[in-house]
Amino acid sequence: MIDLYTAATPNGHKISIALEELELTYTLHALDLAAGEQKEPWFLAINPNGRIPAIVDRTEDNFAVFESGAILIYLAEKTGELMPTDFKGRSRVLQWLMFQMGGIGPMMGQANVFHRYFPERIQPAIDRYQGESKRLFRVLDAHLARHEYLAGEYSIADIANWAWVHTHNWSGVTVDDLPHLQRWLAAIAARPAVQRGIILPPRAERADPATVRTMLETGQSR
């Protein structure tokens, strides 16, 4: 049994999708980020960084894992699925996972902040983060022109990148000119486990921009 502590964000959806794909038994605990539940002492004991997602594996002496990329690796290695066991295959998956963790997620996250939440229209910042997000999308599109999935077979690398990229409209970035990326987005969206995982937990009403900005400025988000 695994306890999943999460919210309806791209990073949270990575883990709910992976758990559904792996058919692992888990209990979902939705945290109220606007209320600061992720900063409460009981949760900081699980994740000292006070961010979602995090898991506690009750079958492994209540072992806690935080950081979405680390959780995906943990689950893949625990089950022997969604990541090859051979040296080079595993490396390919980890390379594309790190591409999401170090590029796609941070750039799209900043695009969201400046495009959606700041009351001031800081156009250079918007252009910077939307432009870099689009550049990274082009990298994916070029790679997917030659590969069905990012690292051979469908893997945690696809889950991690898809959970962010499919939200491109919210970041103000189009994919209309990226046919291979569109094909990949649609193929993953059609998977039953993805359809189950993407609605967990149910999305609450979006917080008003002023609340979100306060959360971002004080380090209370995600």
Side-chain angles (χ1 to χ4, degrees):
M1 173 68 73
I2 290 173
D3 283 321
L4 168 61
Y5 301 89
T6 189
T9 73
N11 284 336
H13 287 147
K14 293 179 198 176
I15 311 308
S16 54
I17 290 170
L19 288 166
E20 291 291 333
E21 289 280 12
L22 294 167
E23 298 183 337
L24 290 171
T25 301
Y26 68 99
T27 300
L28 185 147
H29 307 274
L31 273 65
D32 186 341
L33 304 187
E37 193 172 5
Q38 74 278 18
K39 300 298 183 181
E40 294 182 2
W42 70 267
F43 185 69
L44 292 174
I46 297 170
N47 179 2
N49 195 35
R51 297 287 191 274
I52 64 92
I55 65 169
V56 176
D57 190 344
R58 302 301 180 188
T59 66
E60 299 291 344
D61 196 28
N62 296 328
F63 186 66
V65 188
F66 65 93
E67 288 297 322
S68 59
I71 298 170
L72 288 174
I73 295 169
Y74 176 83
L75 294 174
E77 292 183 338
K78 176 182 176 71
T79 60
E81 298 180 39
L82 296 178
M83 185 163 63
T85 56
D86 68 283
F87 179 69
K88 291 182 180 178
R90 183 177 186 274
S91 177
R92 291 188 188 97
V93 169
L94 293 180
Q95 289 172 57
W96 286 106
L97 176 61
M98 296 307 121
F99 177 85
Q100 183 279 305
M101 298 294 296
I104 291 286
M107 293 302 104
M108 291 186 70
Q110 291 299 318
N112 292 345
V113 169
F114 289 104
H115 177 57
R116 294 287 179 181
Y117 298 123
F118 264 47
E120 303 91 354
R121 186 79 178 173
I122 307 175
Q123 197 61 48
I126 295 170
D127 293 344
R128 154 67 178 161
Y129 293 114
Q130 288 182 339
E132 181 62 7
S133 296
K134 187 60 177 275
R135 185 192 71 80
L136 295 169
F137 289 2
R138 293 192 186 101
V139 173
L140 290 172
D141 186 70
H143 182 73
L144 290 165
R146 306 184 306 276
H147 304 275
E148 183 178 8
Y149 296 109
L150 291 177
E153 299 294 322
Y154 177 71
S155 72
I156 58 172
D158 297 289
I159 293 172
N161 281 276
W162 184 90
W164 274 94
V165 176
H166 90 104
T167 69
H168 62 89
N169 284 331
W170 187 249
S171 302
V173 184
T174 66
V175 298
D176 294 346
D177 58 337
L178 303 174
H180 310 294
L181 184 62
Q182 289 183 62
R183 185 269 306 163
W184 172 83
L185 285 169
I188 295 176
R191 296 178 67 90
V194 174
Q195 294 173 11
R196 294 192 301 271
I198 198 65
I199 61 172
L200 297 173
R203 185 176 293 278
E205 291 186 10
R206 291 191 184 277
D208 67 273
T211 299
V212 174
R213 182 175 182 179
T214 298
M215 291 169 62
L216 291 166
E217 291 177 342
T218 59
Q220 299 296 305
S221 64
R222 288 195 290 126

